[in-house]
Amino acid sequence: MRLIYLTLLGLALTACDSKPPAPQTPRYDAKAFFDTVNYRGLSLSHDGQQVLVSSDISGIFNVFAIPVQGGSPRELTDNPGSTFAVSWFPNDERFLYTRDDGGNEIYHLFVADDAGQHDLIPDPNARAQFLAFNQDGTAFYLLSNERNPKLMDLYRYDATTYQRQRLFNNDQAFEIGAISRDGRFLALDRVNNNSDTDLYLVDLQAADKTPVLIGDLPGENANFRGLTFGPEGHFLYFATDAYGNFNQVWSHHLATGTQEKVAGSDWDVSGFAFSPSGQYRVGSVNADGRTELTVSNARTGKALVLPELPPGDITGVNFSDDDATMVFYLSSDTSPANLYALDLKSGQARALTSALNPAIDAGQLVTAQVVRYPSFDQLQIPALLYRPKGASAEDPAPVIVWVHGGPGGQSRHGYNATLQHLVNHGYGVLAVNNRGSSGYGKPFFHLDDRRHGEDDLRDLVEAKGYLQSLPWVDKDRIGIMGGSYGGYLTVAALAFHPDVFAAGVDIFGVTNWPRTLSAIPPWWESFKSYLYAEMGDPATDGERLRRISPLFHASNINKPLLVVQGLNDPRVLPVESQELVAAVKKNGVAVQYLEFIDEGHGFTKKLNRIAASEAYLRFLDTHLKEQQH
């Protein structure tokens, strides 16, 4: 595996001497944190005996089968590029998986059977997305933009011959949300803007297949999005924020059109699904950055009492066909996602994986504390605060303000190898959920609409004052870093508030909004109106977008900057980072650039993630930790 490592101004990313850590605090390198095994996705086999997952145990994500009764994972694919599990077939041991080419996000869908592995999409430039199997497993459905790069059409594939037919021409650029188990009804979302999405229903057995509007709030903005069709075949379940500040789940009766509230909370409902037989219903809410899950009997409403488990969030719940077994992931700030199997008859749970690198003492990892601080207008800003062990008024720590992606993302609880690596080496981290972040209700989410790089940026500036009020924080050594939209805000902070932060790390961040918004990948057509409502249309808002783009104000940057980029990124083009680095170089500022030739928007290969994390630490040690010593 090869990466291109470019250093500008002759500034190498080398470690510098630093004060030795306290003896009771062992330090681990990035490899130790990333040698933790990552597991993604899960599908339970037709006989309930194997779980299909993606794992990077070899350094690159591939597909594995893990026995429900315990045992070593069995590797099912050995591809040189990151490969992700999709689903077992319902009646045998064939499976579906997906991969792109080096992070370019042109995903294809593959089937693995006795004859080998087959690409189900004939056009190499087309993109595919799995939707579902039908009820008896004789067919499956996927979305592809073969006919038009901007439109994801619906195809039905025979599960034996893989012969296909196009069922629905998506000429209006809907987002296709769900299909009923009998293949008759299709739920479609039309995104009007970032606060208004309408829900449509299509009868695929009708002659004209005309979408029928079933979810809208006339005269007002509200989001309606299809979630799933009920196993009984009578209802479509959808999420909406039409009747409160948070997402609720409602049902739509397919025969009568009547709608009723099914689930709601003082937080967003973030998940809703049924077991294959319909016996169990699974719901989850996003409670202050943590997933709270409930499993209940769908008929009686009685909650299933789960066995005592380690602290953490349960996600990815999946049931066997006979509802005898439930598998899921359990994770926390100090524990990566581990796979569990629960015998629903005996109530006994079994851990099937041990993801944390045994070389790491889990007691040395840090659990984040939920905090809130006032911004410039007294709005309370939620954040996750990681305090390194040993930090005190006598030995204050440098701190990094961590900015999530988006716009509209959220920093949540859960194991983050990059953050734990920094915290282990003595850095505090404040993961800020600035205004515009999801998870805190509609008003909070929309506070930054077309105010990006302004009000949300000021939330980050105010974070410094909050941190300086903490006795264990070194008030002069506060930096900022983030990825994607968080990378943009990082560079914007250095360009528009050049005296606030002592150093910055930009991970594939946007620097030129007019260009980025004009170069949206074609398969984002249904999402374009959302993004333009959020950020602005480059055709009509070009002046404002240029004003908030840090590339055009790079001459203001006077603090050290590290920029990291994937060469195949289709969202934030490499030129965004390259031009920024060239511009900052002219200022005589310490600027460094790290580019991965085999990555896109996010780094999936373990060696690259290790290299990036070590680069962050070396840069911060040089330009933040040691600047006052």
Side-chain angles (χ1 to χ4, degrees), residues 43-52 66-70 88-93 318-327 341-343 350 352:
S43 171
L44 202 48
S45 60
H46 69 103
D47 59 4
Q49 297 303 305
Q50 300 181 87
V51 186
L52 191 75
I66 298 179
V68 168
Q69 297 304 317
W88 292 109
F89 274 62
N91 301 316
D92 53 61
E93 292 195 7
N318 202 280
F319 292 86
S320 59
D321 288 346
D322 60 3
D323 283 336
T325 304
M326 184 179 101
V327 292
L342 171 63
D343 185 313
R350 176 190 301 108
L352 303 182

Side-chain angles (χ1 to χ4, degrees), residues 281-293:
R281 191 178 86 186
V282 181
S284 58
V285 297
N286 176 3
D288 222 1
R290 173 169 278 125
T291 298
E292 294 183 351
L293 179 128

